[in-house]
């Protein structure tokens, strides 16, 4: 936690991509003193956090650290007990306000697909558009996630990797400014994970902010621009990815990166 | 003797005895109407219970679950008391009419349809909850999507209700009176013909009732198969 302020400056976007470079360098999301508890157990403890605009932020930590809770609060589908969530500097404690602030979407570790065909699942997310436009976008998204050949199949009969790709396509259907990924490639085979990673990189290049929870250190090294390390409901380290992986500051980070269990 | 009963049963079925088909037609009309009305009330009640939280919700739950096993004769008795001349709705003059039978069957199967549909809608609604929250859907859109995706299961519930109403005898005999050409349905006719000793007629009606039950079950299996093939998985 001690080096959060140190890295605040360093967290400004570092892309050579011109569209990203023009973006406002201020934090897109800020958490102030956010606490969350469940069944009398404090699961997130006074989280103060600034997440930079653009790029990929990886949220890492041991099991039970509160990573999924954190991104659900950031996404607005879970309400913190106390504290403030700010989007673009504006208070946005409800999901409605967050939606007004930014278009956002989330891909969950276990995707929940509707009891419909692959195509119908996507069309459901595109229902605000005209039918012709929705069909065109549906086709384009299915091509993007390489599921065009399965368009008429029942979505729930797809393999795990295919379901996750469909969930990603569905999330992208809303053209989000911010995309949350909660261990979206966990338990996928390398090929499926690679397809998702490629799409994530493309989205980043198009200026979409990605906030992803991952346990995969190699994946975080490949993708992340900055890293937030959570430990027992607290942010113990936030740094640029290169700094975090090459020179972790905290003992927890060192233990986590070297694959050791943390024992107090 | 058994041979003669069987041959007369087959003859009754083959000869399309008008009395027999009148009874079958009324059974289907009464039970079909009762199921349609019960689905209208039951799906709405089940949907409200599944998707909203309010004071007294648990009590309604318990009441519905208890009502599922309510004996038809008790329902028949309640409707009889309501519709009899001295009852609060006696002025309607509905006792011993098909309408009274529809009312009794509606009261009998609405709790069944409401309780089963609540379970189905609630399970699916909870399953979709996080995804729908993420998609920022309105309550109306959430309900619409859930009901659409639960359509095969809800049809199964409707068919289960139809099966229960067709096979029910206690309530319809009390409020319908088993009057020939007016309120005689398959189950009450079977009871009457058996007591009269006209076993071929009772057996012919029984065969038709069994065939309808078989058709309903076949339809249920086909629905489940379609659901799995097209959407469910």
């Amino acid at each position: 936690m001690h080096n959060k302020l140190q890295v605040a400056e360093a967290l400004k976007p570092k892309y050579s991509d011109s569209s990203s470079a023009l973006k406002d360098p201020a934090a897109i999301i800020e958490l102030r003193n956010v606490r969350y508890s469940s069944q009398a157990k404090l699961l997130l403890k006074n989280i103060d956090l600034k997440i930079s605009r653009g790029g990929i932020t990886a949220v890492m930590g041991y099991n039970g650290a509160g990573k999924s809770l954190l991104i659900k609060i950031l996404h607005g589908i879970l309400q913190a007990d106390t504290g403030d969530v700010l989007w673009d500097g504006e208070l946005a404690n409800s999901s409605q306000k967050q939606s007004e602030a930014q278009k956002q979407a989330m891909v969950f570790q276990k995707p929940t697909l509707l009891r419909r065909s692959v195509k119908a699942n996507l069309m459901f997310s595109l229902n605000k558009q005209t039918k012709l436009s929705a069909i065109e976008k549906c086709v384009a998204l299915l091509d993007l996630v390489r599921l065009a050949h399965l368009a008429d199949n029942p979505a729930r009969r797809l393999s795990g990797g295919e379901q996750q790709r469909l969930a990603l396509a569905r999330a992208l259907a809303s053209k989000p400014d911010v995309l949350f990924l909660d261990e979206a490639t966990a338990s996928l085979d390398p090929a499926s994970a690679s397809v998702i990673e490629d799409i994530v990189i493309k989205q980043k290049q198009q200026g979409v902010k990605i906030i992803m929870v991952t346990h995969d250190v190699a994946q975080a090294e490949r993708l992340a621009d900055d890293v937030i390390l959570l430990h027992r409901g607290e942010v113990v380290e936030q740094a640029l990815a290169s700094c975090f992986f090459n020179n972790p500051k905290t003992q927890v980070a060192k233990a986590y990166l070297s694959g050791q269990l943390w024992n107090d | 003797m058994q041979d003669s009963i069987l041959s007369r049963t087959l003859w009754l079925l083959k000869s399309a005895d008008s009395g027999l088909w009148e009874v079958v037609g009324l059974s289907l009309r009464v039970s079909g109407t009762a199921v349609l009305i019960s689905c209208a009330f039951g799906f709405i009640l089940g949907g409200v219970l599944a998707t909203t939280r309010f004071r007294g919700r648990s009590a309604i739950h318990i009441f519905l679950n208890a009502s599922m096993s309510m004996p038809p004769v008790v329902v028949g008795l309640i409707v009889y008391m309501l519709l009899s001349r001295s009852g609060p709705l006696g002025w309607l003059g509905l006792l011993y009419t098909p309408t009274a039978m529809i009312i009794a069957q509606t009261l009998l199967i609405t709790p069944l349809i409401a309780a089963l549909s609540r379970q189905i809608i609630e399970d699916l609604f909870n399953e979709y909850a996080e995804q729908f929250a993420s998609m920022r859907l309105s309550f109306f859109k959430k309900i619409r999507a859930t009901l659409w995706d639960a359509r095969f299961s809800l049809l199964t519930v409707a068919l289960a209700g139809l099966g229960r109403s067709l096979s029910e005898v206690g309530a319809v005999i009390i409020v319908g009176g088993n009057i020939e050409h007016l309120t005689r349905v398959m189950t009450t006719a079977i009871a009457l013909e058996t007591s009269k000793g006209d076993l071929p007629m009772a057996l012919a009606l029984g065969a038709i009732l069994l065939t309808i039950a078989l058709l309903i079950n076949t339809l249920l299996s086909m629905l489940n198969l379609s659901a799995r093939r097209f959407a469910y998985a």
Side-chain angles (χ1 to χ4, degrees):
Chain A
M1 187 137 55
H2 60 279
N3 61 347
K4 270 192 295 175
L5 294 173
Q6 272 178 297
V7 298
E9 189 62 26
L11 283 173
K12 286 178 181 174
K14 51 173 185 174
Y15 318 113
S16 55
D17 175 64
S18 58
S19 63
S20 298
L22 291 171
K23 295 255 183 192
D24 183 357
I28 189 168
I29 317 174
E30 187 178 347
L31 296 187
R32 287 182 188 163
N33 202 24
V34 163
R35 289 161 68 96
Y36 181 83
S37 57
S38 178
Q39 295 175 337
K41 195 176 175 190
L42 193 57
L43 300 173
L44 290 179
K45 302 166 191 169
N46 304 81
I47 303 272
D48 286 311
L49 192 65
K50 283 184 179 179
I51 294 178
S52 62
R53 187 181 298 279
I56 298 177
T57 299
V59 181
M60 304 185 80
Y62 289 104
N63 288 332
K67 305 180 293 296
S68 294
L69 285 177
L70 178 69
I71 71 160
K72 282 176 185 172
I73 287 172
L74 290 172
H75 183 37
I77 58 173
L78 208 60
Q79 300 304 312
D81 296 338
T82 58
D84 293 325
V85 180
L86 290 91
W87 279 72
D88 289 324
E90 298 286 325
L91 201 58
N93 280 352
S94 73
S95 62
Q96 185 58 38
K97 284 186 177 174
Q98 289 197 16
S99 295
E100 287 163 11
Q102 293 283 338
K103 280 200 286 181
Q104 45 178 310
M106 183 159 171
V107 178
F108 297 90
Q109 184 178 356
K110 285 183 184 166
T112 304
L113 299 173
L114 303 180
R115 292 175 175 180
R116 304 177 190 193
S117 68
V118 169
K119 194 168 59 184
N121 264 274
L122 267 186
M123 291 298 282
F124 181 74
S125 302
L126 292 163
N127 66 353
K128 284 179 187 164
Q129 305 178 20
T130 62
K131 196 168 183 186
L132 197 64
S133 158
I135 291 170
E136 280 173 7
K137 282 180 182 161
C138 178
V139 171
L141 283 165
L142 287 176
D143 278 338
L144 180 72
V145 296
R146 300 182 202 175
L147 289 175
H149 62 295
L150 298 170
D152 293 316
N153 285 28
R156 292 183 174 216
R157 287 204 160 181
L158 301 180
S159 69
E162 289 163 346
Q163 287 198 15
Q164 199 59 285
R165 272 146 55 197
L166 176 57
L168 180 59
R170 184 173 60 185
L172 296 177
S174 62
K175 291 207 162 198
D177 298 320
V178 181
L179 178 62
F180 295 93
L181 305 172
D182 187 3
E183 297 190 51
T185 58
S187 74
L188 297 193
D189 60 67
S192 293
S194 170
V195 171
I196 288 178
E197 284 185 16
D198 288 346
I199 295 167
V200 166
I201 290 167
K202 276 182 198 158
Q203 292 301 312
K204 168 191 149 179
Q205 287 166 349
Q206 288 168 14
V208 176
K209 171 69 192 178
I210 314 278
I211 300 171
M212 59 184 289
V213 170
T214 182
H215 276 297
D216 185 340
V217 175
Q219 183 184 59
E221 275 191 279
R222 278 196 302 276
L223 300 178
D225 296 295
D226 57 277
V227 177
I228 295 165
L229 183 71
L230 277 180
H231 186 61
R232 293 180 182 162
E234 289 181 276
V235 176
V236 291
E237 195 157 339
Q238 184 180 13
L240 285 172
S242 53
C243 297
F244 178 79
F245 292 113
N246 296 324
N247 188 22
K249 296 284 189 290
T250 59
Q251 290 303 314
V252 177
K254 285 173 188 168
Y256 181 78
L257 290 173
S258 59
Q260 292 170 0
L261 283 174
W262 180 260
N263 294 311
D264 281 330
Chain B
M1 185 187 169
Q2 280 183 347
D3 277 353
S4 68
I5 290 173
L6 195 65
S7 57
R8 212 181 136 219
T9 303
L10 289 172
W11 179 82
L12 272 170
L13 288 171
K14 264 197 250 173
S15 64
D17 178 270
S18 62
L20 185 135
W21 293 113
E22 182 187 71
V23 168
V24 173
L26 183 66
S27 290
L28 291 174
R29 189 160 62 87
V30 167
S31 296
T33 311
V35 167
L36 284 177
I37 298 169
S38 294
C39 284
F41 286 116
F43 288 163
I44 291 170
L45 183 58
V48 169
L49 287 172
T51 56
T52 56
R53 300 286 177 270
F54 56 89
R55 212 180 157 90
R57 181 176 171 272
S58 299
I60 297 175
H61 256 199
I62 293 166
F63 175 74
L64 283 181
N65 287 338
S67 303
M68 279 202 298
S69 52
M70 185 145 47
V73 283
V74 175
V75 176
L77 185 63
I78 293 167
V79 176
Y80 179 87
M81 290 196 302
L82 286 172
L83 298 181
S84 65
R85 283 199 185 278
S86 54
L89 300 175
W91 56 274
L92 289 170
L94 291 175
L95 198 62
Y96 302 130
T97 64
T99 308
M101 294 155 78
I102 291 169
I103 292 170
Q105 291 206 334
T106 301
L107 286 178
L108 190 68
I109 57 176
T110 298
L112 175 85
I113 288 176
L116 294 179
S117 60
R118 181 208 57 84
Q119 191 64 55
I120 287 165
I121 295 168
E122 189 170 306
D123 287 349
L124 197 59
F125 196 72
N126 289 341
E127 188 186 329
Y128 286 170
E130 206 167 47
Q131 184 60 46
F132 283 172
S134 172
M135 295 166 90
R136 312 290 195 249
L137 295 185
S138 65
F139 182 72
F140 176 70
K141 280 185 181 167
K142 287 179 194 176
I143 295 285
R144 202 171 58 174
T146 306
L147 288 178
W148 178 252
D149 281 12
R151 63 194 182 282
F152 288 111
S153 307
L154 293 177
L155 269 174
T156 306
V157 170
L159 287 175
L162 182 64
R164 176 153 164 80
S165 63
L166 276 171
S167 59
E168 182 277 321
V169 61
V172 287
I173 208 162
I174 291 175
V175 300
N178 198 19
I179 304 167
E180 194 172 15
H181 305 307
L182 184 64
T183 59
R184 186 163 296 170
V185 289
M186 281 189 283
T187 48
T188 57
I190 290 172
L192 179 74
E193 300 303 337
T194 307
S195 66
K196 276 164 54 184
D198 188 356
L199 292 183
M201 186 61 153
L203 272 174
L205 284 163
I208 293 169
L209 198 56
L210 279 174
T211 308
I212 291 171
L214 198 69
L215 280 174
I216 290 173
N217 277 295
T218 309
L219 209 58
L220 280 175
S221 300
M222 285 167 66
L223 265 177
N224 284 330
L225 208 67
S226 303
R228 266 199 291 275
R229 188 180 301 157
F230 294 114
Y232 231 43

